[in-house]
Amino acid sequence: MKWVVGNWKMHTTAQEAKLLARRLREELYEPELPRRVRVIVCPPFTSLCSVQEALRGSWLQWGAQNCHEELEGAFTGEISVRMLTALGCSAVIVGHSERRRTAGESTERIARKLRRVVQAGLWAILCVGETLAQRRAHRVRAVLTHQLRSALQGLEPQQWESLLIAYEPVWAIGTGQAAELEHIRQAHTLIAELLTQLGAPGHVPILYGGSVTAENAQQILQLPEVDGVLVGSASLDAWQFCTIVRVAALCTSPIPTC
Ligand code: 13P
């Protein structure tokens, strides 16, 4: 089973989101796909309702790009996990580098959000990844260790089952320059080791994100260390996203086509 998650970021009005979601539903109506790939699209909060309308009853799932760490309260402008659950969300992206950078999200806050998401029984897609400066300074291991440890230490055994990791090197996001395959392989292997050290009781899916396109998806998804992809700009293009989903399905055993 491979995962394909679309992060629509701050794109699409409610109406545009509905059209895109409908198109995905129509194009991906193939009985074989749900057995091989799990697809989640994450529109902006304001488009969740229309995406729910468009995808309800299909095999495609939807989720959010962020949430607040408290269940409710005087937090102007924030959105709780309870509200997301009520809109049928099945996942929440936590700790995306754009939020770490532009919204100043601290590792403590990310850890609290993650707990709130998994307690609600939703998938938490925890984003980790180094900047270019950190990579050049050979600090990839140190950065990933810190990001994973601070977010996951002390997680209850059953909470691990609601966790996905997205390895998104910051320098590969939105640049058109995906990480080289060997770099992805090494980083995913390291993340898997760190998860075991932190007490993961079983396999935690590890997704790659950063300039994934219809063109490079096959090379990336056929790496055994890669359980799926987190797609940004290419997820806004129905043709590209559907192509990535089909490629993911082909890269899943038992079909050895790639
Ligand atoms: P791009 O695919 O646009 O590089 O974005 C990746 C990303 O940030 C997904 O969360």
Side-chain angles (χ1 to χ4, degrees):
M1 175 71 72
K2 297 264 184 189
W3 296 75
V4 178
V5 181
N7 177 3
W8 295 0
K9 305 194 180 183
M10 199 174 71
H11 297 285
T12 70
T13 62
Q15 184 59 21
E16 289 161 355
K18 186 186 281 188
L19 293 177
L20 178 55
R22 273 195 196 147
R23 173 109 191 265
L24 298 181
R25 182 178 185 155
E26 284 162 17
E27 300 265 331
L28 296 173
Y29 185 72
E30 293 174 27
E32 192 56 19
L33 287 176
R35 283 200 282 269
R36 301 186 168 276
V37 56
R38 217 178 260 222
V39 174
I40 307 176
V41 292
C42 299
F45 290 133
T46 47
S47 297
L48 276 171
C49 208
S50 59
V51 167
Q52 180 187 33
E53 262 175 58
L55 297 185
R56 193 189 276 131
S58 78
W59 67 279
L60 304 175
Q61 300 178 27
W62 57 95
Q65 300 170 19
N66 179 37
C67 67
H68 195 267
E69 61 272 28
E70 298 295 338
L71 265 190
E72 60 184 357
F75 301 104
T76 303
E78 296 289 351
I79 302 286
S80 75
V81 166
R82 237 182 103 224
M83 298 167 188
L84 298 175
T85 307
L87 283 171
C89 289
S90 59
V92 182
I93 297 172
V94 178
H96 193 283
S97 61
E98 285 155 10
R99 292 203 57 80
R100 291 182 196 254
R101 194 180 67 241
T102 64
E105 272 191 15
S106 64
T107 50
E108 294 73 27
R109 205 153 172 221
I110 290 166
R112 285 163 61 204
K113 289 185 182 203
L114 185 130
R115 271 157 190 73
R116 188 58 77 190
V117 173
V118 295
Q119 273 162 15
L122 306 185
W123 293 103
I125 305 171
L126 173 67
C127 298
V128 295
E130 78 286 357
T131 61
L132 189 58
Q134 289 165 336
R135 185 189 179 186
R136 287 193 174 135
H138 305 287
R139 296 197 55 238
V140 177
R141 173 180 278 270
V143 170
L144 295 179
T145 304
H146 173 66
Q147 290 174 339
L148 290 170
R149 187 176 292 153
S150 59
L152 302 175
Q153 210 156 40
L155 215 57
E156 304 287 332
Q158 76 280 6
Q159 294 179 334
W160 286 91
E161 291 167 21
S162 299
L163 181 68
L164 301 173
I165 305 295
Y167 171 61
E168 297 207 305
V170 178
W171 44 271
I173 295 176
T175 58
Q177 195 64 57
E180 314 83 69
L181 298 179
E182 186 52 26
H183 181 90
I184 297 175
R185 226 181 45 71
Q186 284 178 13
H188 281 227
T189 304
L190 171 61
I191 290 169
E193 271 169 38
L194 293 169
L195 293 173
T196 305
Q197 282 169 25
L198 284 165
H203 179 70
V204 175
I206 306 172
L207 281 49
Y208 168 78
S211 297
V212 175
T213 62
E215 284 71 40
N216 63 20
Q218 178 166 347
Q219 283 189 314
I220 294 170
L221 280 160
Q222 68 188 0
L223 294 174
E225 295 84 1
V226 173
D227 297 298
V229 284
L230 177 53
V231 188
S233 56
S235 70
L236 294 165
D237 176 329
W239 177 81
Q240 283 220 52
F241 192 68
C242 293
T243 303
I244 295 168
V245 172
R246 290 199 186 90
V247 164
L250 289 174
C251 291
T252 308
S253 57
I255 297 183
T257 42
C258 54

mmCIF file of all heavy atoms in Angstrom, residues 7 9 93 96-98 127 168 172-176 209-212 230-234, ligand 1:
data_model
loop_
_atom_site.group_PDB
_atom_site.id
_atom_site.type_symbol
_atom_site.label_atom_id
_atom_site.label_comp_id
_atom_site.label_asym_id
_atom_site.label_seq_id
_atom_site.Cartn_x
_atom_site.Cartn_y
_atom_site.Cartn_z
ATOM 1 N N ASN A 7 -1.183 18.355 -0.752
ATOM 2 C CA ASN A 7 -1.244 19.535 0.115
ATOM 3 C C ASN A 7 -1.533 20.742 -0.784
ATOM 4 O O ASN A 7 -0.645 21.190 -1.504
ATOM 5 C CB ASN A 7 0.092 19.696 0.855
ATOM 6 C CG ASN A 7 0.129 20.941 1.718
ATOM 7 O OD1 ASN A 7 -0.860 21.672 1.829
ATOM 8 N ND2 ASN A 7 1.273 21.205 2.337
ATOM 9 N N LYS A 9 -2.111 23.702 0.044
ATOM 10 C CA LYS A 9 -1.587 24.940 0.632
ATOM 11 C C LYS A 9 -2.643 26.058 0.544
ATOM 12 O O LYS A 9 -3.826 25.775 0.689
ATOM 13 C CB LYS A 9 -0.255 25.315 -0.028
ATOM 14 C CG LYS A 9 0.759 24.142 0.069
ATOM 15 C CD LYS A 9 2.164 24.519 -0.247
ATOM 16 C CE LYS A 9 3.071 23.284 -0.123
ATOM 17 N NZ LYS A 9 4.459 23.578 -0.353
ATOM 18 N N ILE A 93 -2.052 17.531 8.618
ATOM 19 C CA ILE A 93 -0.606 17.759 8.457
ATOM 20 C C ILE A 93 -0.133 18.554 9.674
ATOM 21 O O ILE A 93 -0.762 19.545 10.057
ATOM 22 C CB ILE A 93 -0.319 18.539 7.153
ATOM 23 C CG1 ILE A 93 -0.750 17.707 5.938
ATOM 24 C CG2 ILE A 93 1.148 18.914 7.064
ATOM 25 C CD1 ILE A 93 -0.676 18.475 4.606
ATOM 26 N N HIS A 96 4.419 21.360 9.249
ATOM 27 C CA HIS A 96 4.972 21.638 7.909
ATOM 28 C C HIS A 96 6.038 22.739 8.024
ATOM 29 O O HIS A 96 5.875 23.684 8.814
ATOM 30 C CB HIS A 96 3.848 22.083 6.968
ATOM 31 C CG HIS A 96 4.280 22.078 5.536
ATOM 32 N ND1 HIS A 96 5.072 23.070 5.003
ATOM 33 C CD2 HIS A 96 4.072 21.179 4.538
ATOM 34 C CE1 HIS A 96 5.320 22.784 3.721
ATOM 35 N NE2 HIS A 96 4.726 21.645 3.422
ATOM 36 N N SER A 97 7.076 22.647 7.229
ATOM 37 C CA SER A 97 8.180 23.619 7.361
ATOM 38 C C SER A 97 7.697 25.044 7.095
ATOM 39 O O SER A 97 8.252 25.993 7.646
ATOM 40 C CB SER A 97 9.326 23.260 6.415
ATOM 41 O OG SER A 97 8.887 23.285 5.085
ATOM 42 N N GLU A 98 6.672 25.188 6.247
ATOM 43 C CA GLU A 98 6.163 26.547 5.997
ATOM 44 C C GLU A 98 5.516 27.125 7.255
ATOM 45 O O GLU A 98 5.548 28.330 7.487
ATOM 46 C CB GLU A 98 5.173 26.519 4.813
ATOM 47 C CG GLU A 98 5.929 26.362 3.491
ATOM 48 C CD GLU A 98 5.128 25.736 2.372
ATOM 49 O OE1 GLU A 98 3.904 25.573 2.511
ATOM 50 O OE2 GLU A 98 5.749 25.392 1.343
ATOM 51 N N CYS A 127 5.613 16.463 9.464
ATOM 52 C CA CYS A 127 6.630 16.852 8.475
ATOM 53 C C CYS A 127 7.958 17.140 9.167
ATOM 54 O O CYS A 127 7.992 17.871 10.169
ATOM 55 C CB CYS A 127 6.185 18.103 7.724
ATOM 56 S SG CYS A 127 4.676 17.878 6.790
ATOM 57 N N GLU A 168 10.391 16.046 4.193
ATOM 58 C CA GLU A 168 10.342 17.130 3.208
ATOM 59 C C GLU A 168 11.562 18.033 3.399
ATOM 60 O O GLU A 168 11.516 18.974 4.213
ATOM 61 C CB GLU A 168 9.076 17.962 3.386
ATOM 62 C CG GLU A 168 7.799 17.193 3.155
ATOM 63 C CD GLU A 168 6.662 18.110 2.697
ATOM 64 O OE1 GLU A 168 6.362 19.095 3.388
ATOM 65 O OE2 GLU A 168 6.099 17.835 1.638
ATOM 66 N N ALA A 172 13.958 21.392 -1.140
ATOM 67 C CA ALA A 172 13.328 20.742 -2.302
ATOM 68 C C ALA A 172 11.875 21.180 -2.477
ATOM 69 O O ALA A 172 11.247 20.860 -3.478
ATOM 70 C CB ALA A 172 13.394 19.228 -2.151
ATOM 71 N N ILE A 173 11.362 21.927 -1.510
ATOM 72 C CA ILE A 173 9.942 22.307 -1.559
ATOM 73 C C ILE A 173 9.755 23.502 -2.489
ATOM 74 O O ILE A 173 10.387 24.554 -2.302
ATOM 75 C CB ILE A 173 9.410 22.655 -0.146
ATOM 76 C CG1 ILE A 173 9.430 21.406 0.738
ATOM 77 C CG2 ILE A 173 8.010 23.242 -0.220
ATOM 78 C CD1 ILE A 173 9.012 21.655 2.165
ATOM 79 N N GLY A 174 8.911 23.326 -3.491
ATOM 80 C CA GLY A 174 8.556 24.430 -4.383
ATOM 81 C C GLY A 174 9.693 24.919 -5.252
ATOM 82 O O GLY A 174 9.596 26.004 -5.837
ATOM 83 N N THR A 175 10.757 24.149 -5.360
ATOM 84 C CA THR A 175 11.922 24.595 -6.142
ATOM 85 C C THR A 175 11.989 23.919 -7.499
ATOM 86 O O THR A 175 12.803 24.289 -8.337
ATOM 87 C CB THR A 175 13.231 24.256 -5.390
ATOM 88 O OG1 THR A 175 13.268 22.831 -5.167
ATOM 89 C CG2 THR A 175 13.319 24.978 -4.072
ATOM 90 N N GLY A 176 11.159 22.886 -7.699
ATOM 91 C CA GLY A 176 11.255 22.126 -8.947
ATOM 92 C C GLY A 176 12.433 21.166 -8.926
ATOM 93 O O GLY A 176 12.716 20.491 -9.910
ATOM 94 N N GLY A 209 8.319 14.300 0.368
ATOM 95 C CA GLY A 209 7.717 15.494 -0.218
ATOM 96 C C GLY A 209 8.780 16.485 -0.636
ATOM 97 O O GLY A 209 9.827 16.618 0.018
ATOM 98 N N GLY A 210 8.511 17.199 -1.724
ATOM 99 C CA GLY A 210 9.456 18.206 -2.235
ATOM 100 C C GLY A 210 9.602 18.061 -3.733
ATOM 101 O O GLY A 210 10.346 17.203 -4.200
ATOM 102 N N SER A 211 8.798 18.881 -4.497
ATOM 103 C CA SER A 211 8.879 18.890 -5.960
ATOM 104 C C SER A 211 8.590 17.530 -6.591
ATOM 105 O O SER A 211 9.216 17.149 -7.581
ATOM 106 C CB SER A 211 10.241 19.439 -6.414
ATOM 107 O OG SER A 211 10.387 20.775 -5.998
ATOM 108 N N VAL A 212 7.637 16.799 -6.020
ATOM 109 C CA VAL A 212 7.180 15.556 -6.653
ATOM 110 C C VAL A 212 6.256 15.943 -7.814
ATOM 111 O O VAL A 212 5.380 16.786 -7.666
ATOM 112 C CB VAL A 212 6.414 14.663 -5.653
ATOM 113 C CG1 VAL A 212 5.844 13.428 -6.360
ATOM 114 C CG2 VAL A 212 7.329 14.245 -4.503
ATOM 115 N N LEU A 230 4.068 13.203 -0.477
ATOM 116 C CA LEU A 230 3.270 14.373 -0.086
ATOM 117 C C LEU A 230 3.514 15.417 -1.180
ATOM 118 O O LEU A 230 4.639 15.891 -1.357
ATOM 119 C CB LEU A 230 3.712 14.878 1.291
ATOM 120 C CG LEU A 230 3.040 16.131 1.841
ATOM 121 C CD1 LEU A 230 1.531 16.034 1.830
ATOM 122 C CD2 LEU A 230 3.517 16.398 3.272
ATOM 123 N N VAL A 231 2.471 15.731 -1.920
ATOM 124 C CA VAL A 231 2.619 16.499 -3.154
ATOM 125 C C VAL A 231 2.047 17.902 -2.964
ATOM 126 O O VAL A 231 0.899 18.044 -2.520
ATOM 127 C CB VAL A 231 1.856 15.792 -4.305
ATOM 128 C CG1 VAL A 231 2.153 16.474 -5.630
ATOM 129 C CG2 VAL A 231 2.211 14.309 -4.362
ATOM 130 N N GLY A 232 2.820 18.906 -3.301
ATOM 131 C CA GLY A 232 2.343 20.280 -3.207
ATOM 132 C C GLY A 232 1.756 20.738 -4.529
ATOM 133 O O GLY A 232 0.643 20.353 -4.903
ATOM 134 N N SER A 233 2.520 21.523 -5.299
ATOM 135 C CA SER A 233 1.935 22.180 -6.476
ATOM 136 C C SER A 233 1.363 21.194 -7.491
ATOM 137 O O SER A 233 0.325 21.488 -8.103
ATOM 138 C CB SER A 233 2.941 23.132 -7.123
ATOM 139 O OG SER A 233 4.093 22.429 -7.442
ATOM 140 N N ALA A 234 1.970 20.035 -7.663
ATOM 141 C CA ALA A 234 1.434 19.080 -8.653
ATOM 142 C C ALA A 234 0.080 18.518 -8.227
ATOM 143 O O ALA A 234 -0.640 17.956 -9.048
ATOM 144 C CB ALA A 234 2.436 17.951 -8.890
HETATM 145 P P1 13P B 1 5.913 21.051 -3.685
HETATM 146 O O1 13P B 1 5.459 19.695 -4.175
HETATM 147 O O2 13P B 1 5.193 22.171 -4.333
HETATM 148 O O3 13P B 1 7.400 21.161 -3.738
HETATM 149 O O4 13P B 1 5.496 21.143 -2.137
HETATM 150 C C1 13P B 1 5.821 20.105 -1.282
HETATM 151 C C2 13P B 1 5.159 20.322 0.011
HETATM 152 O O5 13P B 1 5.475 21.240 0.734
HETATM 153 C C3 13P B 1 4.068 19.401 0.373
HETATM 154 O O6 13P B 1 3.711 19.547 1.702
#
